[in-house]
Structures are given as structure tokens and as C-alpha cells.
Amino acid sequence: NAGVTQTPKFQVLKTGQSMTLQCAQDMNHEYMSWYRQDPGMGLRLIHYSVGAGITDQGEVPNGYNVSRSTTEDFPLRLLSAAPSQTSVYFCASSHRTGKSNEQYFGPGTRLTVT
Amino acid sequence: AQSVAQPEDQVNVAEGNPLTVKCTYSVSGNPYLFWYVQYPNRGLQFLLKYITGDNLVKGSYGFEAEFNKSQTSFHLKKPSALVSDSALYFCAVRDIGSGTYKYIFGTGTRLKVLA
């Protein structure tokens, strides 16, 4: 099992550019989510999905889009990058229900917007 | 609304001493509680969880946590700290009751174990 994979690991964007952060998991997890981590702010939920074709907003969704066309993939799209989106982004997945509830995290993408 | 509080930004402890990292939660219904650890420039790693059953939960690397329903707490503990335990620790609660299945994280506590 590769677990949760994220690409790229690092990215520098100019203000106004768009890009897609990729996330994939091979554990057949129904639930997937995107977080951003900023110093002193902990992890903030951007978007999440409880299954293919179903997505919903977290606490900081503005400026980001997601889609979930397959169980395995959950890409995060930045529509028009802003310096405030400079952050470390983590993708995570878990089973939706059952005893094995813990989330598995990817290694993160460090994004800088200039 | 569901929430998690980690009241300490940083905890310092001497190597070999017991450590406690505090977490309190607010949730409707039965809580699903988790602890994660993050080492520098890495993703979060799962340490342990409480779903049901014994209030004392044992996890990876010798860590344990005590679920206290009356105090709505889920403190992380270890009997004897190691320098290698120095990291950022996150408490989380899963929102099962609302049907969203979201995880809500605390702001994290940085643990420093001093040699």
C-alpha cells in the first residue's frame, strides 16, 4: 500500500495563477479531506468528501474547489492564487464508519504564493 | 458545535519524567477521540484513539490517553519521556452525530523533552 500520496511536494505560484494539488489513496477509504496548516492555527479543514460524487465545504473553503469523481482521487484546485494561500496543505483519508476511524495523512504540499 | 481545546501551546518536560498533554472536547453524542503526532516537515501520524470501551487507551511509542467523560477530557500521557518524543501533538474529535464525519482538530501542543 502506498497509503496517501500527494503531489507536488513543493510549489511556488505567482498571484493569480491557478493550480491543482493532487491527492490519491489506495486504501478504499470513503472519506477524504484537505487541510491547511499555518503556524499557531492548527489544522483547518478546507473541503471534505464522504464518497465519490459527494463533496462539502469545511471551515476555510474560499478560493478552493474540489471534486471526487473516483474513490481514490481527491484533487484540490486553487482558482486564483493569493499570498494568503501560502501554507502547507495536507490530504487525509479514512473509512467513513466502523471501528477503524483514524485518518491517514499524506506527506503534505508546501505552497508559496508570491 | 463540536470543538477541541488544547490549552497549552508548549509543554516542557525532562527526559525520564512523566508527560501529560491536555485536551478537552465538546461534542454532541458519543465522542470519537484521537491523538496525532507531527514530526518536523512530516505529515501527521496516528497515535491512538478512543471509540468505546476502556477509558485508558494505549497507543504507539508507549503513549496512552485517558478518556474522562465527566470532565470531557482526553489527556495524552507517557510514563517516561524520551528526547525523541519532542514533536507537535494534535488532539481531534470526529463528528459522527451530525452525519458529516468531519474531524475537528485542536491547535496543537509542542512537546519539548529536555535531555
Side-chain angles (χ1 to χ4, degrees):
Chain A
N1 277 4
V4 180
T5 58
Q6 289 183 239
T7 56
K9 287 193 173 176
F10 301 94
Q11 183 71 49
V12 179
L13 290 178
K14 293 189 188 317
T15 297
Q17 288 183 315
S18 64
M19 79 159 296
T20 300
L21 307 184
Q22 301 292 345
C23 174
Q25 52 91 11
D26 60 358
M27 297 172 281
N28 204 30
H29 285 163
E30 304 89 355
Y31 181 93
M32 295 187 74
S33 54
W34 277 102
Y35 299 89
R36 59 178 290 173
Q37 184 178 24
D38 303 291
M41 305 287 286
L43 287 171
R44 292 186 291 170
L45 182 65
I46 305 171
H47 285 286
Y48 65 100
S49 167
V50 297
I54 307 168
T55 63
D56 208 344
Q57 296 180 350
E59 56 181 310
V60 287
N62 291 343
Y64 308 95
N65 269 358
V66 291
S67 59
R68 184 94 181 269
S69 56
T70 67
T71 298
E72 295 78 20
D73 301 298
F74 191 45
L76 177 73
R77 184 165 178 80
L78 278 70
L79 307 172
S80 177
S84 61
Q85 293 179 304
T86 293
S87 187
V88 181
Y89 292 84
F90 290 101
C91 179
S93 73
S94 72
H95 285 299
R96 190 166 58 90
T97 58
K99 285 192 174 181
S100 179
N101 257 270
E102 60 271 23
Q103 282 193 111
Y104 293 82
F105 282 80
T109 295
R110 188 173 293 273
L111 175 69
T112 302
V113 182
T114 60
Chain B
Q2 331 288 354
S3 65
V4 173
Q6 293 182 244
E8 302 152 319
D9 289 337
Q10 182 159 317
V11 170
N12 294 331
V13 64
E15 188 175 31
N17 282 4
L19 69 88
T20 298
V21 183
K22 295 179 180 176
C23 172
T24 58
Y25 65 90
S26 172
V27 62
S28 56
N30 293 325
Y32 285 44
L33 296 159
F34 305 85
W35 276 102
Y36 291 85
V37 60
Q38 185 180 32
Y39 297 101
N41 300 314
R42 304 286 295 275
L44 277 71
Q45 296 177 32
F46 168 72
L47 271 182
L48 51 80
K49 65 185 176 188
Y50 173 84
I51 307 297
T52 60
D54 289 342
N55 290 343
L56 186 64
V57 178
K58 293 189 186 297
S60 306
Y61 312 121
F63 284 94
E64 55 191 30
E66 187 168 10
F67 170 64
N68 187 317
K69 188 171 184 177
S70 61
Q71 297 186 6
T72 61
S73 66
F74 190 56
H75 300 332
L76 181 70
K77 303 184 181 198
K78 189 173 182 182
S80 178
L82 300 172
V83 171
S84 57
D85 293 328
S86 299
L88 187 56
Y89 291 81
F90 289 96
C91 181
V93 63
R94 191 169 200 190
D95 182 358
I96 300 291
S98 71
T100 65
Y101 304 100
K102 290 188 295 187
Y103 296 80
I104 295 98
F105 282 82
T107 51
T109 298
R110 188 165 300 281
L111 174 68
K112 267 196 171 178
V113 181
L114 308 167

